[in-house]
Amino acid sequence: MKIDREAVRKRVEALKSFPTLPGVFEKMSRLMSDANTTAGEIADVIATDQALSAKVLRLVNSAFYGFPGRISTITHAVIILGSDALKGVIISSSVFDVMLARGLYDLWKHSLGCAVVSGIIARKKDYPDPEEVSVAGLLHDIGKVILKIELPDEFLLINDIASREQISIGAAEEDFLGFDHSDAGSWLSQKWNLPRSLSDPITYHHRPGLARTAQTPTAIVHLADVLIRAIGFGSGGDDMVPQIDKGAWESLDISRSALEEIICESDEKLEDTEIISVDGDSGT
């Protein structure tokens, strides 16, 4: 029997399991809507939450943003990353908390790896906002976290089905629920009013041809997701390595030599990447 899709959507829209989003996130979003707001004013709002400030700086200075150890203040982070990417960093810190609290270490590692590779591809293609693409890579599977929170029993059954029948998690979700984690991620993106540069990759990373606004970031995250699965860094919940979407591949126009460089750089950076825990310690 299929799950009531609209009922789950309403539960996602009412979700309060990401504790840092209310308050600071909403204040920051209001400030960012004013063109006269300064980086210092945004930083002052974030600084009111000391734990959040520490997590933001730790995330920004980790390997997948490309600024290891170089950003020392929230104001600097605001200036370097820009408003949309900074929103994503704040969301990422909350997602990280929830993933570890829910025992989703392998999914977090997979998501972190996708962020690393997304950033590398974006820089290779001279995309103007590679940090934001990294954030999109980190958040691409946020829908799986939502399903774990809202449908924990079904989440376990879906994983069992995917393993037993040797199909992808997405296929098992569609068969069992009638929707998949991309749909759940899309609902959350709408609830949080994320920019299309983040919401499109979350919604369409398995179907990049459907993205109409942020085609390039979506294609990059799609390719990064396939590559990180092939590399085997973390786990998206199954052992499947999907085919690269032909349209996304052609739109990125990556040569064989450039792809080899991306894979080589990814291997090197992933070796240096640490899983950042909520208390500042590194996971293993």
Side-chain angles (χ1 to χ4, degrees), residues 26-96:
E26 292 177 2
K27 290 177 185 176
M28 192 185 75
S29 295
R30 285 198 298 271
L31 278 176
M32 287 177 175
S33 67
D34 184 349
N36 296 318
T37 298
T38 66
E41 289 172 326
I42 296 171
D44 286 344
V45 171
I46 299 173
T48 61
D49 187 329
Q50 292 183 341
L52 176 60
S53 298
K55 283 184 284 188
V56 166
L57 285 175
R58 189 166 177 81
L59 280 165
V60 169
N61 280 295
S62 63
F64 64 85
Y65 286 110
F67 307 115
R70 289 162 50 192
I71 298 179
S72 59
T73 67
I74 295 295
T75 301
H76 191 191
V78 174
I79 294 170
I80 292 292
L81 293 177
S83 59
D84 286 340
L86 187 64
K87 284 182 182 179
V89 171
I90 291 174
I91 292 170
S92 299
S93 69
S94 299
V95 171
F96 168 70

Side-chain angles (χ1 to χ4, degrees), residues 4 15 51 55 166 168 225:
D4 186 332
L15 189 65
K55 283 184 284 188
Q166 288 297 290
S168 71
D225 185 35

Side-chain angles (χ1 to χ4, degrees), residues 84-273:
D84 286 340
L86 187 64
K87 284 182 182 179
V89 171
I90 291 174
I91 292 170
S92 299
S93 69
S94 299
V95 171
F96 168 70
D97 288 352
V98 175
M99 279 186 173
L100 288 193
R102 302 281 174 165
L104 297 175
Y105 174 83
D106 286 339
L107 178 60
W108 167 251
K109 191 173 179 181
H110 165 76
S111 301
L112 182 62
C114 189
V116 170
V117 180
S118 295
I120 291 170
I121 297 170
R123 293 182 180 90
K124 185 69 67 176
K125 295 301 300 178
D126 294 322
Y127 187 75
D129 295 306
E131 294 80 28
E132 188 173 37
V133 180
S134 291
V135 171
L138 189 65
L139 296 176
H140 78 287
D141 269 347
I142 183 60
K144 293 177 181 175
V145 184
I146 298 305
L147 295 181
K148 169 73 170 178
I149 292 170
E150 290 299 317
L151 301 169
D153 294 336
E154 292 84 349
F155 181 87
L156 292 175
L157 285 171
I158 288 165
N159 278 267
D160 288 342
I161 291 169
S163 177
R164 184 173 64 251
E165 299 184 8
Q166 288 297 290
I167 59 175
S168 71
I169 287 291
E173 291 165 346
E174 284 284 0
D175 288 346
F176 192 78
L177 300 175
F179 59 90
D180 67 7
H181 61 275
S182 297
D183 295 312
S186 177
W187 301 334
L188 195 64
S189 297
Q190 293 174 45
K191 169 183 168 61
W192 285 343
N193 196 29
L194 294 184
R196 295 301 292 270
S197 52
L198 295 179
S199 65
D200 272 12
I202 291 170
T203 304
Y204 302 118
H205 61 277
H206 291 306
R207 299 163 293 168
L210 297 181
R212 292 290 175 264
T213 302
Q215 292 98 333
T216 298
T218 303
I220 289 173
V221 171
H222 166 75
L223 177 57
D225 185 35
V226 174
L227 292 179
I228 202 65
R229 282 177 168 273
I231 292 170
F233 191 82
S235 173
D238 59 63
D239 297 326
M240 304 289 108
V241 179
Q243 289 188 331
I244 297 172
D245 180 86
K246 182 178 179 181
W249 177 254
E250 291 177 349
S251 71
L252 292 175
D253 191 26
I254 296 174
S255 66
R256 180 179 295 274
S257 61
L259 180 61
E260 290 174 353
E261 291 173 4
I262 289 167
I263 293 172
C264 182
E265 185 176 344
S266 297
D267 285 339
E268 292 175 357
K269 184 165 282 191
L270 289 171
E271 287 181 3
D272 296 332
T273 299

